[in-house]
C-alpha cells in the first residue's frame, strides 16, 4: 500500500468514527428527549390510575385496586409509593407470595424503610419465621417513616409486643414495653394501651404504674381504674385493688368480673389474719374461721374424688392433720398457743393450695384463703 | 495491511489503531449503540400503541379488546402488502438470508417497516413479541451503516448478525442469550472471527437500553432453586410435557402458514384482522393475558397469581392465539410468546405436581422458569441459548441441573417428533435453503482416518544407505516408499529413483543426503477429510502420523482413497 493510499485509509476511519460519534450523540439526545416526554406522560397516566386504585381500595374492591396499582407501576416502574401500595394491597388480599416479591425489591431499594419492614415482619410472622419477624419489626421500629414516625414506631412496637406475647416471649415483650413506656407523651390513651400490654405480659407492677399515670391525667378514666385494680390484685395489693376496683364500679363500669374480683378482694381483706392492726382476738377468730373453711374444703374435695382412705395421699394426710388440730382449735381456741395457730394457718394454706390443684380453682372464701396463702408464700420467699 | 507495532512513529500508531479489523470492532460498538436507541424507540412505540389501542388498564369485556386488533390488523395488512412486503414474520430468517444470500443486504426500509408494523400489531394485542423484530431492526441498521461506509462484501455480510445480536440483546435485556441465539440460529456456526463484534454490539446495546429504560428485568424472579435431587423427576415430567407442547405449536404453524400464504392476495388483507379478531375474542371473553407480549403476566405466573388450571388454559390459549397471529403474516416475534407458553405450562405442571405430591419443594416460580427454557429449547430448537437464557434471566445458577435436564428431554422429544427446526421450516416455506447449526450437527463428518490406508512397506529411514534401501525395496511390490527423516519429517522415494541413485554412484550415501531436501506435508487421523484434499495433489501418498509422535506412522492417504471415500458416502446417502 503506497503512502497516499495508506493516509487515505488511516484518515477515512477517523472521520467516519467522528461522524458516527456526532450522530450517536444527536441520536442519544433525541431519544433522551423522547423517553423523557413519554416518561412524563406515563407518570401522569400512572398517577391517575393510582388514585383510581386508591378509590377502589376505599370501596373495598381489592381486585380493582390491585389491577390499578399494578398498571400504575407498569407505567412508572420506579415509583416507590405505587409499589408499596401494590404490595400492601396484595397482602390485604392474601396474595402473600407476590407481595413478598414486591417487598423484597422495595427492601433492596430502601432497607431502612419502616413501612416495608413492617410488612415483611408481618409476612415472616405469618410464615412462623420468628427470627425474621422480630428482625424486621426492629428494623421498622428503628427505620425511617415518611409520615408521623413517632406514632408509627410506637404502633409497630406494640404490634411486636403482641407478636411476642403470642409467641410466649413474655420477657422480650416486657423489654419492648419498657422501652416504649420510656418515651410516651402524656396521653392517657397511649399510657392505657401500654398498661394493658404490661398486664398481658404479666408485668403487673409496670402495668399499675402506667394505669396510675392514666388516672393522673384523667381522674375519671374508668378503664384505668379497672386495670389498676386488676394489676394491684395480681400483685396481691388487695387494699389498693379494692380502692381501684371500687373506683371503676363507681365510674360506671358494669362488669361481673370486676364485681367478682372486688368481692374476692373484700373477702381477702376480711379474712386475712396477717393483716396489720388486728386485735389478737380478731386474728384468732379469723384463723379459726379459715381453719373451719379449709377443713370443709378438704372434705368436699376428697368426697368429690371418691377416694378411699389412703394414708399416702397428701390430701388425706392434710385432712388427718386437720382433724388432729381440730379439737385444740374448737375447744380451746382462745387459749391456743401461737404454735398451734401457726400450724393451723399453715394447714389452711396447704389445704387450699392442694385442693386448688386437685379439685379446681375455688370460689368465695376458699379463693380468698388461697390468695392469702399465695401472698404469704411470696412474702416468705 | 502489514503495519507492525512501530511504537516510535505516530503515523504507525494510527495505522495500527485503524486496521480494518479493529475498525470493525469499534463499528460494532456504534452498531450496538444505534440498535439500542432504535429498540428504546421501538418499545416506546409499542407501549404508546398499546395505550392508544387497548387503554391503560385492559380488562375483559371491554369492546376495544376486539375492535383494536381487528382494526390494526387491516392497517398492518395494507402496510405489509403495499409498502413493506419483506416484513412478514419474525425477522430471524430474513436476517439469516441476508447473511447467506444477499451479502448482508437488508433494506433500511425493511427496518422501518418492521418497526411500524410490529409496533402496531403488538400494541394492538396481536399475540407476538418484540424481540425478533428488534433483531431485524438492528440487523437492518447495521446493514445500512455498512453500505454507507462501503465496507467490503465479507464485512458487510458479517454486519447483519452483529446488528441482530445488538437488537435482540436490547429487546431481551440479556446480552449472553442474544449472542448465543445469533450464533446458534442466525450465523449457524461458531466463528471466532465475528464473536468479538457480536459480543461488543450486544453489550453496548444493552447498556444503552438500561440507561434509558432502567435495569429492571422483564419480569421479577422470586427465590428459585432445587432442594432435593429426587425432584428432578418432576422437572423431567415438565420436559416431557413441554416437548410435546412445542411439537404441537410448531406443527400447527408449519401446517397453517403455507396454506394461508398460498391463498389469493385479497385474503391477505383480512388474515391479520381475522387473527386479531380471534385474539381479541379470547381477551374479551376473559383472558386478556394472551394479548401482546405478556411479560407482565409471566411475572404474575411466577408469583403464584394463577391456579394451575388457569395456567394450563393460558398456555393453550397462547398457543392458539400466537399461531393465528403468526401464520396470518402479521409482523412480530416468537420469543415472548414462547416464554409465555413455557412459563404458563411450567407453572401448570408444577402446580399439578404439587397437587398430587404436596411435599415437593420446588416453587411454582421455579417450574415456570424451567418451563420457559423448555419451550425455548424445544420450539426454537436452541438448546444452548435456552439454558443460558434461564440462567441470565434468573441470575440463579442453582437451577441449572433441572434446566438442563428438562430442556434436554424437551429438545429430544421435539427433534424426534418434528425433525426440522421451526425456523428452517419457515425458511424453506419461503423458498430459501439456509444452513442450520442443528443440521450441521447432524451431518456426518468424514475424517482422514476414514480414508486412511496401510502404509506401504518397508518404511525407509534417512540413515539407510541407498544400496540397503534399494535392496529392501526390491523385496516389496510397492512402487513408492515413505522415508522417515530425522529429527522429524517425511518424504517419499520411488523404486525408479532408488535405482537411478545407485546407478549414479550414490549407493553408499545415506538416503537423507542423497534425496532432494523437500519434505512432505503430513496429516493426523482426526483431521477432516476436506483438509486432506488440499494436500493429496502434492504427492502420491501423504503420511498420516500420530499427534503425539510425528515419527510414528498411522497410515497413508492418497488422492484416489479420498475420492473413493467421498464416492461411497455419496452413494450411501443417496
Amino acid at each position: 500500500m503506497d503512502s497516499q493510499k495508506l493516509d487515505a485509509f488511516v484518515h477515512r476511519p477517523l472521520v467516519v468514527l467522528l461522524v458516527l460519534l456526532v450522530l450517536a450523540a444527536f441520536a442519544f439526545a433525541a431519544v433522551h428527549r423522547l423517553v423523557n416526554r413519554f416518561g412524563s406522560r406515563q407518570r401522569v397516566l400512572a398517577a391517575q390510575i393510582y388514585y383510581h386504585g386508591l378509590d377502589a381500595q376505599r370501596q373495598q374492591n381489592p381486585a380493582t385496586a390491585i389491577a390499578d396499582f399494578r398498571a400504575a407501576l407498569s407505567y412508572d416502574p420506579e415509583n416507590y409509593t405505587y409499589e408499596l401500595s401494590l404490595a400492601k394491597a396484595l397482602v390485604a388480599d392474601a396474595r402473600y407470595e407476590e407481595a413478598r416479591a414486591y417487598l423484597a425489591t422495595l427492601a433492596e431499594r430502601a432497607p431502612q424503610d419502616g413501612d416495608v419492614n413492617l410488612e415483611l415482619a408481618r409476612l415472616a410472622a405469618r410464615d412462623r419465621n420468628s427470627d425474621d419477624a422480630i428482625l424486621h419489626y426492629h428494623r421498622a421500629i428503628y427505620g425511617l417513616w415518611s409520615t408521623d414516625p413517632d406514632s408509627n414506631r410506637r404502633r409497630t412496637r406494640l404490634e411486636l409486643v403482641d407478636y411476642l406475647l403470642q409467641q410466649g416471649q413474655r420477657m422480650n415483650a416486657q423489654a419492648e414495653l419498657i422501652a416504649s413506656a420510656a418515651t410516651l407523651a402524656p396521653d392517657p390513651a397511649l399510657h392505657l394501651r401500654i398498661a394493658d400490654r404490661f398486664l398481658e405480659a404479666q408485668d403487673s407492677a409496670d402495668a399499675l404504674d402506667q394505669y396510675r399515670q392514666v388516672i393522673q391525667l384523667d381522674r375519671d378514666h374508668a378503664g384505668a381504674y379497672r386495670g389498676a385494680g386488676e394489676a394491684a390484685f395480681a400483685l396481691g395489693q388487695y387494699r389498693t385493688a379494692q380502692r381501684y376496683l371500687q373506683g371503676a364500679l363507681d365510674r360506671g363500669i358494669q362488669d361481673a368480673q370486676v364485681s367478682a374480683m372486688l368481692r374476692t378482694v373484700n373477702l381477702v381483706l376480711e379474712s386475712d389474719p396477717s393483716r396489720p392492726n388486728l386485735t389478737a382476738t380478731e386474728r384468732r377468730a379469723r384463723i379459726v374461721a379459715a381453719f373451719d373453711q379449709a377443713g370443709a374444703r378438704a372434705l368436699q374435695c376428697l368426697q368429690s374424688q371418691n377416694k378411699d382412705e389412703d394414708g399416702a395421699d397428701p390430701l388425706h394426710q392434710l385432712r388427718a392433720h386437720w382433724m388432729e388440730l381440730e379439737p385444740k382449735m374448737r375447744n380451746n381456741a382462745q387459749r391456743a398457743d401461737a404454735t398451734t395457730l401457726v400450724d393451723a394457718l399453715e394447714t389452711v394454706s396447704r389445704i387450699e393450695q392442694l385442693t386448688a390443684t386437685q379439685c379446681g380453682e375455688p370460689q368465695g372464701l376458699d379463693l380468698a384463703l388461697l390468695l392469702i396463702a399465695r401472698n404469704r408464700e411470696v412474702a416468705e420467699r | 495491511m502489514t503495519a507492525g507495532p512501530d511504537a516510535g512513529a505516530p503515523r504507525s500508531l494510527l495505522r495500527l489503531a485503524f486496521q480494518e479489523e479493529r475498525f470493525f470492532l469499534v463499528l460494532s460498538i456504534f452498531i450496538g449503540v444505534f440498535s439500542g436507541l432504535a429498540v428504546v424507540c421501538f418499545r416506546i412505540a409499542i407501549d404508546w400503541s398499546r395505550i392508544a389501542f387497548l387503554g391503560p388498564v385492559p380488562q375483559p369485556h371491554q369492546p376495544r379488546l376486539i375492535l383494536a386488533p381487528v382494526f390494526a390488523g387491516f392497517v398492518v395488512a395494507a402496510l405489509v402488502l403495499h409498502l413493506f412486503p419483506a416484513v412478514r414474520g419474525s425477522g430471524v430468517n430474513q436476517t439469516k438470508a441476508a447473511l447467506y444470500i444477499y451479502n448482508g443486504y437488508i433494506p433500511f426500509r425493511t427496518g422501518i417497516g418492521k418497526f411500524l408494523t410490529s409496533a402496531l400489531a403488538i400494541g394492538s394485542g396481536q399475540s407476538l413479541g418484540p424481540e425478533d423484530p428488534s433483531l431485524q431492526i438492528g440487523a437492518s441498521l447495521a446493514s445500512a451503516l455498512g453500505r454507507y461506509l462501503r465496507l467490503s462484501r465479507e464485512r458487510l455480510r458479517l454486519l447483519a448478525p452483529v446488528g441482530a445480536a445488538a437488537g435482540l440483546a436490547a429487546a431481551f435485556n440479556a446480552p449472553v442469550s442474544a449472542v448465543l441465539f445469533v450464533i446458534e440460529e442466525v450465523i449457524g456456526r461458531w466463528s471466532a472471527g465475528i464473536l468479538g463484534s457480536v459480543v461488543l454490539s450486544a453489550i453496548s446495546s444493552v447498556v444503552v437500553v438500561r440507561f434509558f429504560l432502567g435495569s429492571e428485568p422483564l419480569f421479577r424472579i422470586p427465590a428459585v432453586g432445587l432442594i432435593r435431587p429426587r425432584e428432578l423427576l418432576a422437572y423431567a415430567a415438565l420436559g416431557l410435557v413441554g416437548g410435546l407442547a412445542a411439537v404441537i405449536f410448531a406443527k400447527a404453524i408449519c401446517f397453517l402458514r403455507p396454506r394461508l400464504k398460498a391463498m389469493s392476495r385479497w385474503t391477505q388483507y383480512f388474515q391479520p384482522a381475522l387473527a386479531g379478531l380471534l385474539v381479541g375474542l379470547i381477551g374479551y371473553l376473559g383472558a386478556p393475558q394472551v394479548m401482546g407480549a405478556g411479560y407482565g403476566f409471566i411475572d404474575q405466573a411466577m408469583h403464584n397469581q394463577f391456579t394451575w388450571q388457569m395456567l394450563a388454559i393460558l398456555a393453550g390459549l397462547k398457543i392458539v392465539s400466537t399461531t393465528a397471529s403468526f401464520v396470518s403474516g402479521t409482523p412480530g416475534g416468537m420469543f415472548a410468546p414462547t416464554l409465555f407458553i413455557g412459563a404458563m405450562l411450567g407453572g401448570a405442571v408444577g402446580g399439578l405436581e404439587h397437587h398430587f405430591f404436596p411435599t415437593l419443594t420446588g416453587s411454582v416460580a421455579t417450574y415456570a422458569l424451567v418451563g420457559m427454557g423448555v419451550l425455548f429449547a424445544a420450539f426454537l430448537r436452541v438448546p444452548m441459548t435456552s439454558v443460558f437464557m434461564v440462567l441470565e434471566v434468573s441470575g440463579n445458577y442453582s437451577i441449572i441441573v433441572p434446566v438442563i435436564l428438562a430442556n434436554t428431554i424437551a429438545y429430544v422429544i421435539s427433534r424426534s417428533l418434528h425433525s426440522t427446526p421451526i425456523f428452517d421450516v419457515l425458511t424453506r416455506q419461503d423458498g430459501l435453503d439456509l444452513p442450520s447449526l442443528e443440521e450441521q450437527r447432524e451431518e456426518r463428518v468424514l475424517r482422514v482416518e476414514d480414508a486412511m490406508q496401510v502404509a506401504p512397506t518397508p518404511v525407509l529411514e534417512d540413515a539407510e544407505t541407498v544400496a540397503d534401501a534399494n535392496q529392501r525395496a526390491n523385496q516389496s511390490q510397492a512402487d513408492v516408499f515413505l522415508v522417515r527423516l530425522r529429527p522429524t519429517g517425511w518424504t517419499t522415494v520411488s523404486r525408479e529413483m532408488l535405482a537411478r541413485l545407485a546407478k549414479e554412484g550414490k549407493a553408499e550415501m545415506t538416503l537423507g543426503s542423497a534425496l532432494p531436501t523437500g519434505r512432505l506435508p503430513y496429516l493426523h487421523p482426526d483431521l477432516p477429510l476436506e483438509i486432506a484434499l488440499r494436500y493429496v495433489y502434492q504427492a502420491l501418498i501423504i503420511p498420516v502420523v500420530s499427534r503425539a509422535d510425528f515419527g510414528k506412522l498411522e497410515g497413508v492417504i492418497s488422492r484416489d482413497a479420498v475420492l473413493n471415500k467421498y464416492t461411497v458416502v455419496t452413494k450411501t446417502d443417496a
Side-chain angles (χ1 to χ4, degrees):
Chain A
M1 196 179 277
D2 62 33
S3 178
Q4 263 189 333
K5 280 185 178 172
L6 191 63
D7 279 351
F9 179 78
V10 166
H11 288 111
R12 185 172 170 262
L14 242 183
V15 174
V16 165
L17 290 181
L18 281 174
V19 169
L20 285 177
L21 205 61
V22 172
L23 270 178
F26 274 114
F28 226 83
V31 173
H32 196 264
R33 193 175 159 79
L34 177 72
V35 169
N36 280 346
R37 287 188 68 174
F38 189 72
S40 57
R41 187 176 176 276
Q42 283 203 311
R43 280 191 287 279
V44 170
L45 187 62
Q48 289 169 356
I49 298 168
Y50 176 68
Y51 289 117
H52 188 262
L54 287 179
D55 284 344
Q57 205 170 33
R58 276 191 285 274
Q59 290 161 16
Q60 307 292 320
N61 189 349
T64 307
I66 288 170
D68 284 343
F69 292 151
R70 203 191 297 283
L73 191 62
S74 73
Y75 292 118
D76 190 359
E78 300 291 318
N79 193 300
Y80 195 83
T81 311
Y82 299 167
E83 197 162 358
L84 184 57
S85 297
L86 174 59
K88 284 181 170 180
L90 289 165
V91 171
D93 202 33
R95 291 154 76 163
Y96 302 114
E97 278 306 310
E98 201 184 2
R100 198 188 315 280
Y102 282 108
L103 288 170
T105 317
L106 289 167
E108 268 179 30
R109 283 168 64 185
Q112 298 301 318
D113 188 292
D115 240 335
V116 171
N117 278 297
L118 179 58
E119 294 298 338
L120 283 169
R122 286 170 178 164
L123 285 180
R126 189 187 158 273
D127 292 346
R128 297 177 185 175
N129 185 345
S130 178
D131 289 347
D132 270 9
I134 293 169
L135 175 80
H136 285 297
Y137 272 124
H138 278 142
R139 282 186 182 167
I141 290 165
Y142 299 109
L144 303 171
W145 295 82
S146 52
T147 55
D148 202 1
D150 288 343
S151 161
N152 280 318
R153 287 192 182 112
R154 194 164 44 244
R155 187 169 48 82
T156 306
R157 200 186 284 276
L158 286 179
E159 196 174 315
L160 171 59
V161 168
D162 289 341
Y163 176 69
L164 290 170
L165 289 173
Q166 270 176 20
Q167 298 295 306
Q169 300 184 30
R170 256 191 318 115
M171 299 303 287
N172 288 336
Q174 286 174 11
E176 295 296 336
L177 282 169
I178 289 166
S180 203
T183 56
L184 277 189
D187 178 349
L190 290 178
H191 282 284
L192 186 69
R193 283 169 66 188
I194 297 291
D196 286 343
R197 299 300 199 292
F198 267 127
L199 202 56
E200 210 177 325
Q202 299 178 16
D203 183 352
S204 304
D206 281 313
L208 182 58
D209 187 42
Q210 289 297 319
Y211 284 124
R212 278 177 171 151
Q213 292 198 42
V214 178
I215 291 166
Q216 272 183 2
L217 294 164
D218 181 359
R219 293 266 166 210
D220 289 322
H221 201 300
Y225 275 91
R226 175 203 167 128
E230 287 177 10
F233 185 90
L235 287 168
Q237 297 176 11
Y238 296 110
R239 184 65 70 194
T240 311
Q242 186 186 44
R243 193 171 72 244
Y244 284 124
L245 290 170
Q246 190 58 58
L249 291 174
D250 293 347
R251 282 164 181 79
I253 288 278
Q254 292 178 337
D255 187 330
Q257 199 186 339
V258 173
S259 302
M261 199 179 283
L262 182 58
R263 276 197 300 278
T264 304
V265 166
N266 289 335
L267 278 171
V268 168
L269 293 174
E270 287 160 12
S271 316
D272 188 355
S274 59
R275 290 210 65 77
N277 305 326
L278 290 179
T279 62
T281 311
E282 198 175 346
R283 195 178 308 276
R284 279 168 192 270
R286 285 188 178 197
I287 292 172
V288 170
F291 185 76
D292 289 345
Q293 182 70 24
R297 167 78 170 157
L299 185 63
Q300 189 190 11
C301 185
L302 285 170
Q303 285 169 349
S304 71
Q305 289 179 326
N306 288 326
K307 281 189 176 171
D308 297 329
E309 287 289 332
D310 179 1
D313 181 56
L315 191 55
H316 272 116
Q317 286 177 351
L318 274 175
R319 173 70 183 163
H321 187 64
W322 184 88
M323 287 172 76
E324 270 176 37
L325 280 175
E326 196 204 5
K328 294 182 195 170
M329 295 297 291
R330 187 75 59 219
N331 302 326
N332 208 8
Q334 294 303 319
R335 276 177 289 158
D337 58 24
T339 314
T340 308
L341 289 176
V342 169
D343 192 6
L345 202 53
E346 184 64 28
T347 306
V348 169
S349 295
R350 287 168 62 194
I351 286 173
E352 290 298 346
Q353 293 196 52
L354 195 60
T355 52
T357 56
Q358 290 191 1
C359 298
E361 198 76 358
Q363 299 290 322
L365 185 54
D366 283 313
L367 176 59
L369 293 174
L370 177 66
L371 294 172
I372 293 166
R374 285 177 182 164
N375 239 14
R376 275 188 66 211
E377 206 174 78
V378 171
E380 280 166 11
R381 237 187 268 142
Chain B
M1 285 292 294
T2 54
D6 183 1
R11 178 179 273 192
S12 299
L13 274 177
L14 271 176
R15 277 186 206 157
L16 186 68
F18 294 109
Q19 276 179 348
E20 194 179 1
E21 202 167 300
R22 293 200 175 98
F23 176 71
F24 192 73
L25 284 175
V26 178
L27 194 60
S28 305
I29 297 174
F30 278 104
I31 288 170
V33 170
F34 286 120
S35 298
L37 293 171
V39 170
V40 169
C41 295
F42 184 48
R43 277 172 66 172
I44 287 177
I46 291 174
D47 283 347
W48 180 84
S49 78
R50 186 169 48 79
I51 296 168
F53 280 118
L54 302 178
V57 191
Q59 298 281 353
H61 312 303
Q62 291 175 341
R64 61 176 13 178
L65 295 193
I66 299 177
L67 297 175
V70 171
F71 171 73
F74 281 120
V75 176
V76 167
L79 287 172
V80 169
L81 289 170
H82 292 285
L83 288 174
F84 311 110
V87 302
R88 285 176 70 105
S90 84
V92 175
N93 289 333
Q94 290 89 330
T95 308
K96 200 170 172 181
L99 171 67
Y100 284 101
I101 301 173
Y102 306 117
N103 294 322
Y105 178 76
I106 301 175
F108 191 58
R109 180 180 171 174
T110 302
I112 293 172
K114 198 76 176 186
F115 185 105
L116 291 175
T117 53
S118 297
L120 275 175
I122 298 166
S124 68
Q126 292 275 9
S127 180
L128 296 164
E131 293 82 11
D132 320 26
S134 301
L135 178 148
Q136 197 180 6
I137 291 167
S140 78
L141 261 175
S143 173
L145 197 59
R147 292 198 304 278
Y148 170 75
L149 296 175
R150 295 197 190 92
L151 293 183
S152 65
R153 194 169 64 179
E154 180 58 25
R155 294 287 176 200
L156 196 58
R157 198 180 287 153
L158 293 178
L159 270 187
V162 171
L168 185 58
F172 207 41
N173 205 359
V176 176
S177 306
V179 168
L180 284 174
F181 180 82
V182 166
I183 287 170
E184 273 195 294
E185 194 50 53
V186 178
I187 304 173
R189 63 188 150 88
W190 286 95
S191 167
I194 196 176
L195 192 60
S197 301
V198 168
V199 169
L200 275 178
S201 70
I203 288 173
S204 50
S205 71
V206 167
V207 169
V208 169
V209 167
R210 287 184 183 177
F211 175 81
F212 284 112
L213 304 179
S215 55
E216 290 287 306
L218 291 169
F219 29 79
R220 295 160 305 127
I221 307 287
V224 291
L226 174 74
I227 296 172
R228 295 184 195 145
R230 65 171 179 269
E231 289 185 20
L232 284 173
L233 282 174
Y235 293 102
L238 171 56
L240 184 75
V241 175
L244 292 173
V247 169
I248 293 169
F249 189 24
K251 281 195 182 292
I253 288 174
C254 295
F255 177 79
L256 289 171
R257 187 171 176 265
R259 283 161 180 77
L260 289 180
K261 213 175 164 190
M263 291 172 90
S264 55
R265 185 176 162 86
W266 68 268
T267 64
Q268 314 278 332
Y269 287 97
F270 294 92
Q271 286 179 16
L274 284 173
L277 179 65
L278 177 67
V279 177
L281 268 175
I282 291 171
Y284 180 83
L285 294 174
Q289 294 91 341
V290 302
M291 301 183 82
Y295 282 123
F297 302 106
I298 294 177
D299 184 285
Q300 289 180 39
M302 292 242 176
H303 295 93
N304 254 340
Q305 289 305 290
F306 303 112
T307 60
W308 67 265
Q309 294 94 332
M310 184 63 184
L311 289 169
I313 290 168
L314 286 176
L317 290 175
K318 190 72 175 178
I319 289 177
V320 172
S321 54
T322 305
T323 304
S325 293
F326 191 76
V327 298
S328 68
T330 309
M334 304 293 282
F335 267 57
T338 306
L339 293 178
F340 185 103
I341 296 163
M344 300 299 152
L345 206 61
V349 171
L352 182 65
E353 287 176 351
H354 269 283
H355 180 71
F356 288 109
F357 306 101
T359 53
L360 287 175
T361 56
S363 63
V364 168
T366 312
Y367 284 91
L369 199 58
V370 174
M372 286 198 282
V374 160
L375 254 283
F376 226 75
F379 178 70
L380 299 178
R381 297 278 271 275
V382 280
M384 201 150 51
T385 309
S386 71
V387 172
F388 279 87
M389 184 272 298
V390 173
L391 299 184
E392 196 173 18
V393 165
S394 68
N396 185 334
Y397 288 83
S398 66
I399 54 165
I400 190 163
V401 177
V403 169
I404 290 177
L405 175 76
N407 286 14
T408 306
I409 291 173
Y411 180 68
V412 169
I413 289 172
S414 175
R415 273 184 56 169
S416 311
L417 301 177
H418 193 252
S419 57
T420 315
I422 181 81
F423 284 120
D424 291 349
V425 175
L426 299 178
T427 313
R428 281 162 206 174
Q429 285 176 357
D430 292 341
L432 305 172
D433 191 3
L434 299 171
S436 118
L437 196 61
E438 188 171 298
E439 284 183 352
Q440 282 174 27
R441 277 196 295 260
E442 297 299 301
E443 275 176 11
R444 185 177 165 193
V445 178
L446 287 176
R447 304 199 177 276
V448 167
E449 63 194 359
D450 295 324
M452 192 170 73
Q453 295 167 317
V454 179
T457 52
V459 175
L460 305 175
E461 303 292 335
D462 63 350
E464 282 183 73
T465 61
V466 173
D468 290 346
N470 209 1
Q471 191 182 354
R472 290 176 66 199
N474 286 336
Q475 292 164 4
S476 167
Q477 301 294 314
D479 295 323
V480 180
F481 303 96
L482 282 170
V483 181
R484 186 184 284 115
L485 304 176
R486 297 293 166 185
T488 56
W490 294 84
T491 188
T492 54
V493 63
S494 64
R495 186 189 295 276
E496 289 75 28
M497 173 76 111
L498 283 172
R500 196 170 67 238
L501 287 171
K503 272 185 195 169
E504 288 171 358
K506 296 178 180 172
E508 293 311 314
M509 288 176 72
T510 61
L511 283 178
S513 56
L515 290 174
T517 52
R519 289 175 183 230
L520 278 181
Y522 51 80
L523 298 165
H524 300 298
D526 59 295
L527 287 172
L529 198 55
E530 295 154 21
I531 290 179
L533 275 173
R534 297 179 200 168
Y535 300 104
V536 288
Y537 288 93
Q538 295 179 16
L540 288 173
I541 53 171
I542 301 289
V544 180
V545 299
S546 161
R547 281 191 184 272
D549 179 3
F550 294 168
K552 186 182 172 191
L553 190 66
E554 302 277 355
V556 293
I557 197 160
S558 65
R559 186 180 59 188
D560 289 345
V562 173
L563 295 178
N564 281 341
K565 190 69 202 173
Y566 276 121
T567 311
V568 169
V569 168
T570 311
K571 278 182 183 168
T572 312
D573 289 350

